[in-house]
């Protein structure tokens, strides 16, 4: 794993924690949806940048 893939995965997991927190607080669904799209993009980019695919 290189540094950027690690950072992207950690940020994605941080955003997933934010999604869980926002759902528990009853925040608007549009905000939760936007946050979940960002989290999915970070996690996907981090996983695709892993060096195990070569």
């Amino acid at each position: 794993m290189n540094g950027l893939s690690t950072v992207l995965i950690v940020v994605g997991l941080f955003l997933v924690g934010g999604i869980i927190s926002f759902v528990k607080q009853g925040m608007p669904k549009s905000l939760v949806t936007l946050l979940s799209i960002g989290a999915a993009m970070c996690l996907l980019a981090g996983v695709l940048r892993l060096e195990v695919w070569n």
Side-chain angles (χ1 to χ4, degrees):
M1 281 179 46
N2 58 13
L4 184 58
S5 64
T6 304
V7 169
L8 285 169
I9 291 172
V10 168
V11 168
L13 292 175
F14 177 76
L15 291 176
V16 168
I19 293 168
I20 294 169
S21 174
F22 279 13
V23 168
K24 286 183 180 179
Q25 291 179 22
M27 299 294 263
K29 296 295 180 188
S30 61
L31 184 62
V32 173
T33 303
L34 184 64
L35 193 60
S36 64
I37 290 171
M41 287 173 43
C42 279
L43 287 172
L44 183 64
V47 168
L48 288 177
R49 285 192 54 90
L50 289 176
E51 296 172 358
V52 297
W53 307 114
N54 293 332

